[in-house]
Amino acid sequence: MTDSGTEPQKVMVEKQAKDLLSNHGISVPRSVLSKDLPASIRLKFPVVLKVSDERILHKTDVGGVILNIGTQEALEREFISMKSRFPDSEYLIEEMLPSGIEYIIGVTRDRDFGQVIMLGSGGIFTELYGDVTFRKIPIFKEDAEEMITGIASGRFCQGFRGKKVDCNALADLLIKISALLESGSYPIESMDLNPVIALEKGVVVADAKIILRGKS
Amino acid sequence: MLEHLFNPESISVVGASSDPRKIGHAVLENLVLQGYGGRIYPVNPASSEIMGLKCYPSLEAIPSRVDLAVITLPAKQSVDLLEQCVKKKIPYAVIVAGGFSEAGEEGRVLETRLREIIKGTGTRVIGPNTVGVLFPYTGVNTALTPHDRLFFPEKGEVGFISQSGALGLLVMDSITEYRMGISGFINIGNRADIAETDSLRLFEADPNTKSIVMYLESVSDGEQFFKTVKEVNRKKPVIILKTGRSLESTRAAASHTGAMASNDRVFSGIMRQAGITRAYDETELLDFGKALAYQRPPPGKRVAVITTAGGVGVLTTDLLTSPDNHGRLEMASFNDEETREMRKFVLPFASVANPIDLTADGSTEAYGKILDVLVRSDSVDAIIAYALPQTPKINMDIVGTLKLAASSKPVVAGAIGNRLSKVMLGELEAARIPAFPSVSRTVGAMKVLCEYGEYLRRHRND
């Protein structure tokens, strides 16, 4: 049993969550948060446009995420359309990540063992096959490595069907998340980094949801 | 502290009875028949003598010290009596009665009172709702089952902690079939005081215990349990059978991660982190306890298999190299010199590639010569040896041969069959070579032995 529901909780907006991760040496896409469309953005196209609003938890479900926008003109069009659908929100423009292998990394609270960290194969396979593994925080290098070899997508470390990922970086990310929780500098109750995109070199957190303890 | 429980100078049975239908009768009889050598004080105000032992009207009336009190009274009276245990400074009390926290609100209140009575005192409680403890080295046996209904294990090296009393007794009865022993048994029951963590510490300190097996339905203090079990497991391997695996996370979780965090997934990961060996049924639990108690973990995962029955070798290879709950191992390969040497001892059509099959012509002597090659080989980390006495040239001397090999390299043995195999298994047990009556159990034991070794190597520094 997880996610103790008794304490009041506060959801960090995505930009805030990613800035927090970035400040702890974790790669996130370059981004701009804005209420209005800037005349020019210093990001590389293609970009992603997302609604940024703490009241909206599942952005994709409500049409709050537009992927693969190739030009400034297209961005302007999508921005106006998004603003008409979510008039009182802010908007996050992010560089679109190259494709890689998707993982999910999360933190939750277990009734018996306290905060635990999870690694899973990304996308629908997390749920379909239950291909996930948990450890109690804090974890060490050996634990992180065993988490990766403990899930099916861990095989991409040695290369599989022409795809290979940077598992040192993935292990490093797990350890950094564990250390961030262990430090207690932020009252983080739970998090979903989903997806984490693993490339041949490096891993990047494409989407982050962090829930803090405390009043909303 | 340990001493008073594992080796008490004196035991009092409160509620002792001469009526064979009473629990107080079975407990007293078990103590007497198990050969407990200390003083026994039955307490029952209605009797003056039970089973030839002087009976006392109360704990207070006992003129000397009592190390362990076994209380066989109903729940409410047991709690009242606990006050007398505290007053008499009795270090350990076993409370047999059920009807506490497992039985609703009234019972919960009673259990809270029990805890308050012993708080800050020198008295520790096992139970309530427990069949108590068994320590074969000192003859302490507080089981409530009549002695003629089941066997109790003899002296051994496996410590057994169980949340269930009945399952514990049944498993202990089972393992006597092949003469397997235990160093002790603690049924923590409702664990109002002594829980799984304390029990782990007791067996950690007990010099007879080499491995610890646990049957758990839940953990009482997860953080403390993780810390303790991880620590103890490095000194003495811990094997856990945990039930409740089908329970899913019952509340709607706010996060994706929370939704995936079923009890068993979290527990599995955390046990992996602590290097704990998991068993998935009661047979595995004691099998793995035995393997890890009798053999040291191999330095690698390359296994040599030796048999006199071809099919047994082939099946072993399949199970050994296919992944399951307990991982997978590698078949060792031999160099030319080793192969040439082994050839000398077998018929031309026998196989000396791994698995080594001496065929029905294989003798105990040839077996010994080949084991000698395997023991000296740099490419063999551990040996699975089938001791199959169904062919005429294999005799009981093979036990000595295997014991010699096991002094240099970890050996797990298998003996399949009934008539002679049962004798063989008993002999191997006496020689403390872990031996099993089936291929899958033999392979399973080897897998966990190797896994434990790998964990110790990998986590040397954390």
Side-chain angles (χ1 to χ4, degrees), chain B residues 303-316:
Chain B
V303 179
V305 177
I306 174 167
T307 175
T308 49
V312 168
V314 179
L315 179 55
T316 299

Side-chain angles (χ1 to χ4, degrees), chain B residues 20 25-26 29-30 33 141 144-152 173:
Chain B
H25 182 271
E29 193 180 49
N30 280 334
L33 294 178
N141 181 352
L144 49 77
T145 41
H147 216 276
D148 57 357
R149 294 271 162 155
L150 77 170
F151 292 121
F152 295 102
D173 192 15

Side-chain angles (χ1 to χ4, degrees), chain A residues 35-98:
Chain A
K35 270 185 111 49
D36 296 292
L37 183 64
S40 73
I41 51 164
R42 266 194 289 219
L43 300 177
K44 237 168 67 188
F45 284 97
V47 295
V48 181
L49 176 64
K50 293 175 177 174
V51 63
S52 173
D53 191 323
E54 61 190 20
R55 292 164 297 182
I56 302 170
L57 265 183
H58 301 284
K59 297 183 284 282
T60 317
D61 299 353
V62 295
V65 179
I66 309 292
L67 299 169
N68 208 12
I69 303 168
T71 61
Q72 179 73 24
E73 296 72 50
L75 178 61
E76 277 165 23
R77 247 190 343 266
E78 295 294 353
F79 201 99
I80 292 163
S81 152
M82 177 129 355
K83 197 162 177 169
S84 69
R85 275 176 290 141
F86 308 102
D88 304 324
S89 302
E90 288 189 290
Y91 313 95
L92 185 66
I93 308 161
E94 278 185 335
E95 285 183 359
M96 178 118 174
L97 294 170

Side-chain angles (χ1 to χ4, degrees), chain A:
Chain A
M1 231 182 287
T2 49
D3 285 356
S4 92
T6 45
E7 270 188 75
Q9 298 181 336
K10 179 184 180 349
V11 181
M12 288 179 100
V13 293
E14 188 180 345
K15 172 74 174 160
Q16 222 184 335
K18 283 180 170 170
D19 285 348
L20 170 63
L21 296 174
S22 178
N23 290 339
H24 287 82
I26 293 163
S27 288
V28 297
R30 297 209 307 147
S31 69
V32 173
L33 182 69
S34 174
K35 270 185 111 49
D36 296 292
L37 183 64
S40 73
I41 51 164
R42 266 194 289 219
L43 300 177
K44 237 168 67 188
F45 284 97
V47 295
V48 181
L49 176 64
K50 293 175 177 174
V51 63
S52 173
D53 191 323
E54 61 190 20
R55 292 164 297 182
I56 302 170
L57 265 183
H58 301 284
K59 297 183 284 282
T60 317
D61 299 353
V62 295
V65 179
I66 309 292
L67 299 169
N68 208 12
I69 303 168
T71 61
Q72 179 73 24
E73 296 72 50
L75 178 61
E76 277 165 23
R77 247 190 343 266
E78 295 294 353
F79 201 99
I80 292 163
S81 152
M82 177 129 355
K83 197 162 177 169
S84 69
R85 275 176 290 141
F86 308 102
D88 304 324
S89 302
E90 288 189 290
Y91 313 95
L92 185 66
I93 308 161
E94 278 185 335
E95 285 183 359
M96 178 118 174
L97 294 170
S99 70
I101 301 296
E102 292 189 3
Y103 293 88
I104 172 172
I105 291 177
V107 172
T108 186
R109 188 175 297 280
D110 180 78
R111 186 190 52 183
D112 291 327
F113 295 100
Q115 281 188 311
V116 292
I117 184 167
M118 179 188 88
L119 172 71
S121 295
I124 56 168
F125 297 107
T126 308
E127 272 168 81
L128 185 59
Y129 299 121
D131 190 24
V132 295
T133 186
F134 289 85
R135 296 293 186 275
K136 182 171 163 52
I137 290 170
I139 57 166
F140 302 96
K141 186 164 171 282
E142 290 76 15
D143 299 315
E145 288 167 359
E146 285 168 3
M147 287 178 84
I148 295 167
T149 52
I151 61 170
S153 300
R155 286 182 64 188
F156 288 109
C157 296
Q158 287 83 44
F160 182 74
R161 294 266 179 140
K163 292 198 174 75
K164 193 164 192 257
V165 304
D166 186 346
C167 281
N168 288 329
L170 190 58
D172 193 48
L173 173 56
L174 286 165
I175 293 164
K176 278 177 177 158
I177 297 294
S178 167
L180 170 61
L181 268 292
E182 175 72 355
S183 76
S185 349
Y186 298 87
I188 297 172
E189 179 63 17
S190 68
M191 67 165 77
D192 275 342
L193 311 183
N194 185 25
V196 171
I197 310 280
L199 307 166
E200 259 182 63
K201 193 147 177 52
V203 291
V204 190
V205 175
D207 197 358
K209 187 165 99 184
I210 295 180
I211 296 174
L212 300 176
R213 290 184 294 277
K215 290 198 180 71
S216 51

